[in-house]
Amino acid sequence: MRSTRLATAAAMVLAASVALAGCGRDSGGGQDEAKSVGGGKASGEITVWAMGAEGEKLGEFAKEFSTENPDAKVTVTAVPWDAAHQKLASAIAAKQTPDVSMIGTTWQGEFAKTGALDPTPPDLIKKEDFFPGAWDTTIVDDTSYGVPWYVETRLIFYRKDLAARAGFPDGPKSWDDLKAMAKGMKDKAGAKWGINLQPPTKTGSWQSVLPFAWSNGAEVASADKLNFDTPETAEALRYYQSFFTEGLAPTALPEGSMEPGFVKGEIGAFISGPWHMGIVEEQGGPGFKDKYAVARMPMKKSSTSFIGGSSLAVFKDAKNRDGAWKFVQWLSKPEVQVKWYQAVKDLPAVQSAWDDQTLSGDTYLATFGEQLDSAKAPPAIPTWEQIASVVDTEIEKLCKKNADPAATAKAIQEQASAIGTGS
């Protein structure tokens, strides 16, 4: 699961921050001048670091690029997610970076602030081609330092049969709908739990909670301001908490039991990303795809979900800068994004790729594409992972110990303010 891989790697951020702070570079991350890229085909060796399944598949996939650019050779090093952050930090400190690397979206601000990333050349890459929320993850102090490669967002997965018995055959549309559907699934349809929300156990639950705050009009954080202690955030926290206090969602499930519970009808709904389609369909067997559906995040003031994924960044110490950017540009072509989805199931960050029948012809995938139009990510600030850890800790108290929502918002604000934005 992509969120788990990122969360595991992000756990190393705080320790690695010390290494980054002492890397010897001048502070970067703002108003750098983007340089042009030379014309013609790419040439020379292009070194790339990629993580997880992407690292395993990219080398073979890149052979098509070398066919189109016969004087260029792409060398991919696969890096485990749990070692990626430290490996990148050490490479930046030693000025021994690859030409280009995958960068987790929540790492962008931290690495850009070291001055190690090359600004995105606007003559080669057009921001308008990408989902706005995805492009925003590359922005640090008004400058883009990378290109969104693939994206993911979250939807409501729900059992159609249980939802129909609960009175919501077409799924939930609003906050009130989601609560009523979860209650009806438990009281009328026989589910043990109306919904499973991301476990409030300090494991990235902020990714599920913040979308409710955003949907309620809360900003919570920007590049230069932290604003968690607001009525909008407190109301969102109270709403999220209510699923636990009313017995509609479990405070903990045995590991690996959520998907089987959904397949059996013991769990009526859950919030997750596109990777879960394959998981539940495999566990449910033939025909299970007809038994569930996906819906956009419920509306309050807006329908807003979390956007994650990964970007591609070129380093200032790249030995083959032009080749690196040309490779990134090639990976950003709509037709290449579709082929990459077919190879790895990574959702395209380029909007026009979604016009392809491969994605637009699948109702569930198309819903993910619709949600991406309004999905948001936290600001690309160096300290975000530390702030996110605070949010996770306070959410656990909110959901497991019934902490007051307004006091929770205030506690997050106080601790986040002490950490600062790193700007």
Side-chain angles (χ1 to χ4, degrees), residues 39-108:
K41 293 182 179 293
S43 62
E45 183 181 23
I46 303 165
T47 56
V48 182
W49 287 359
M51 296 79 187
E54 291 75 20
E56 296 168 4
K57 298 288 184 68
L58 184 57
E60 182 66 25
F61 188 83
K63 289 182 179 179
E64 185 177 338
F65 174 81
S66 296
T67 300
E68 297 177 16
N69 299 267
D71 293 329
K73 176 186 177 184
V74 178
T75 301
V76 178
T77 298
V79 181
W81 269 115
D82 59 3
H85 187 280
Q86 184 60 57
K87 187 174 178 66
L88 284 166
S90 298
I92 290 171
K95 297 190 177 183
Q96 296 294 321
T97 62
D99 295 319
V100 59
S101 178
M102 280 176 63
I103 301 287
T105 53
T106 58
W107 299 351
Q108 198 79 26

Side-chain angles (χ1 to χ4, degrees), residues 301-316:
K301 294 178 181 176
S302 66
S303 167
T304 307
S305 190
F306 168 79
I307 190 169
S310 190
S311 298
L312 294 166
V314 174
F315 292 91
K316 287 182 178 177

Side-chain angles (χ1 to χ4, degrees), residues 313-397:
V314 174
F315 292 91
K316 287 182 178 177
D317 289 326
K319 294 180 175 62
N320 188 357
R321 176 185 178 272
D322 279 16
W325 277 118
K326 288 174 183 178
F327 181 55
V328 171
Q329 181 194 40
W330 179 78
L331 288 171
S332 302
K333 291 181 177 180
E335 63 273 19
V336 175
Q337 289 250 301
V338 172
K339 290 179 180 178
W340 184 241
Y341 167 76
Q342 292 170 331
V344 185
K345 301 305 179 186
D346 284 343
L347 298 182
V350 174
Q351 296 186 71
S352 60
W354 287 79
D355 296 334
D356 190 276
Q357 184 65 21
T358 303
L359 291 104
S360 64
D362 185 306
T363 302
Y364 295 178
L365 286 175
T367 305
F368 277 101
E370 293 168 5
Q371 185 70 78
L372 282 164
D373 285 334
S374 60
K376 292 183 67 172
I381 56 178
T383 57
W384 178 255
E385 292 294 346
Q386 297 169 59
I387 293 171
S389 179
V390 167
V391 177
D392 286 343
T393 298
E394 296 303 323
I395 292 303
E396 182 176 23
K397 297 175 186 176

Side-chain angles (χ1 to χ4, degrees), residues 2 141 144 240 385:
R2 226 166 288 285
D141 294 345
S144 171
Y240 195 84
E385 292 294 346

Side-chain angles (χ1 to χ4, degrees), residues 16-252:
S17 297
V18 176
L20 282 169
C23 69
R25 277 187 169 277
D26 293 331
S27 177
Q31 304 301 323
D32 280 357
E33 183 178 350
K35 300 175 183 177
S36 297
V37 173
K41 293 182 179 293
S43 62
E45 183 181 23
I46 303 165
T47 56
V48 182
W49 287 359
M51 296 79 187
E54 291 75 20
E56 296 168 4
K57 298 288 184 68
L58 184 57
E60 182 66 25
F61 188 83
K63 289 182 179 179
E64 185 177 338
F65 174 81
S66 296
T67 300
E68 297 177 16
N69 299 267
D71 293 329
K73 176 186 177 184
V74 178
T75 301
V76 178
T77 298
V79 181
W81 269 115
D82 59 3
H85 187 280
Q86 184 60 57
K87 187 174 178 66
L88 284 166
S90 298
I92 290 171
K95 297 190 177 183
Q96 296 294 321
T97 62
D99 295 319
V100 59
S101 178
M102 280 176 63
I103 301 287
T105 53
T106 58
W107 299 351
Q108 198 79 26
E110 180 187 1
F111 287 132
K113 282 291 187 178
T114 69
L117 304 186
D118 195 46
T120 307
D123 59 331
L124 191 73
I125 305 292
K126 304 300 181 187
K127 63 179 276 188
E128 295 81 9
D129 293 343
F130 301 86
F131 286 105
W135 184 262
D136 286 347
T137 66
T138 73
I139 301 295
V140 180
D141 294 345
D142 300 321
T143 299
S144 171
Y145 290 94
V147 175
W149 186 15
Y150 64 81
V151 292
E152 57 95 344
T153 191
R154 316 293 165 84
L155 298 178
I156 306 291
F157 285 67
Y158 65 94
R159 284 287 301 255
K160 292 195 290 187
D161 53 347
L162 303 185
R165 276 182 261 167
F168 293 89
D170 298 320
K173 301 294 191 297
S174 67
W175 279 21
D176 288 344
D177 286 352
L178 182 62
K179 174 67 74 63
M181 186 181 79
K183 184 173 176 56
M185 284 177 159
K186 184 175 180 180
D187 295 345
K188 300 176 183 178
K192 182 177 181 180
W193 302 107
I195 189 171
N196 183 67
L197 298 173
Q198 191 162 353
T201 53
K202 298 184 286 189
T203 55
S205 56
W206 65 269
Q207 297 176 7
S208 292
V209 174
L210 285 192
F212 288 102
W214 290 328
S215 293
N216 201 32
E219 289 300 324
V220 304
S222 64
D224 56 4
K225 186 178 181 181
L226 301 172
N227 197 31
F228 291 93
D229 189 11
T230 65
E232 292 81 8
T233 299
E235 183 181 11
L237 293 174
R238 183 172 293 106
Y239 176 75
Y240 195 84
Q241 180 190 51
S242 69
F243 286 92
F244 299 93
T245 58
E246 295 176 24
L248 302 176
T251 54

Side-chain angles (χ1 to χ4, degrees), residues 243-277:
F243 286 92
F244 299 93
T245 58
E246 295 176 24
L248 302 176
T251 54
L253 281 176
E255 187 173 355
S257 66
M258 195 272 285
E259 295 85 358
F262 184 70
V263 168
K264 294 175 184 176
E266 296 171 354
I267 296 172
F270 63 92
I271 299 174
S272 191
W275 57 84
H276 251 118
M277 292 191 295

